[in-house]
């Protein structure tokens, strides 16, 4: 084999004033706008229907009761809050490591994340044309219950 020499010298090239400067990631035309529109739609929907307080109340119920089947427990509350699972407005007394472990074990963050995303995508409207968050929540949770059951 013959000798091969490599030259690693950096060429002496003069850059123009704006060359070689990072201007941020390239923007995909159309995709960025669609994502922004969807985010705005989601935020508007959540604010209009006070979804954050609903999720907060449902989470508080789970933290207080720590049921083995969280979705069935939530459905019981949603079906009939006055006779089913007692409401819980404040989760603060239940915020501890046991609660964090419970939320992680039952994948509660995934449940609510997928539920919220689906709700905006599906636009939950009943036969009368009214937004029916509770009806949608019960239906969604029943359909997705097996996906979030840690026992299986």
């Amino acid at each position: 084999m013959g000798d091969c020499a490599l030259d690693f010298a950096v060429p002496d090239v003069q850059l123009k004033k704006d060359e070689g400067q990072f201007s941020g990631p390239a923007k995909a035309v159309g995709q960025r706008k669609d994502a922004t529109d969807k985010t705005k739609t989601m935020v508007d929907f959540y604010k209009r229907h006070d979804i954050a307080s609903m999720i907060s109340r449902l989470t508080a119920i789970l933290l207080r009761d720590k049921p083995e089947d969280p979705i069935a427990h939530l459905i019981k509350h949603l079906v009939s809050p006055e006779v089913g699972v007692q409401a819980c407005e404040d989760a603060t007394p239940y915020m501890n490591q046991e609660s964090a472990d419970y939320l992680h074990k039952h994948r509660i963050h995934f449940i609510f994340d997928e539920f919220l995303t689906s709700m905006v995508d599906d636009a939950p409207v009943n036969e009368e044309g009214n937004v029916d968050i509770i009806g949608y929540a019960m239906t969604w949770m029943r359909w997705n219950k097996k996906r979030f059951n840690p026992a299986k």
Side-chain angles (χ1 to χ4, degrees), residues 62-131:
L62 293 176
L63 293 179
R64 180 194 64 204
D65 300 343
K66 294 178 185 59
E68 197 52 40
D69 187 344
I71 292 191
H73 198 68
L74 292 176
I75 291 170
K76 241 190 259 182
H77 172 72
L78 292 169
V79 167
S80 183
E82 58 281 345
V83 295
V85 176
Q86 184 180 4
C88 180
E89 298 295 328
D90 184 14
T92 307
Y94 313 106
M95 299 301 286
N96 54 36
Q97 188 58 47
E98 181 185 3
S99 293
D101 293 344
Y102 174 83
L103 293 173
H104 180 71
K105 174 186 174 188
H106 292 282
R107 302 170 46 194
I108 304 302
H109 54 292
F110 290 116
I111 293 170
F112 287 137
D113 180 57
E114 288 196 29
F115 166 68
L116 292 170
T117 301
S118 296
M119 185 173 21
V120 172
D121 289 343
D122 295 343
V125 177
N126 61 19
E127 291 83 29
E128 292 84 35
N130 300 319
V131 174

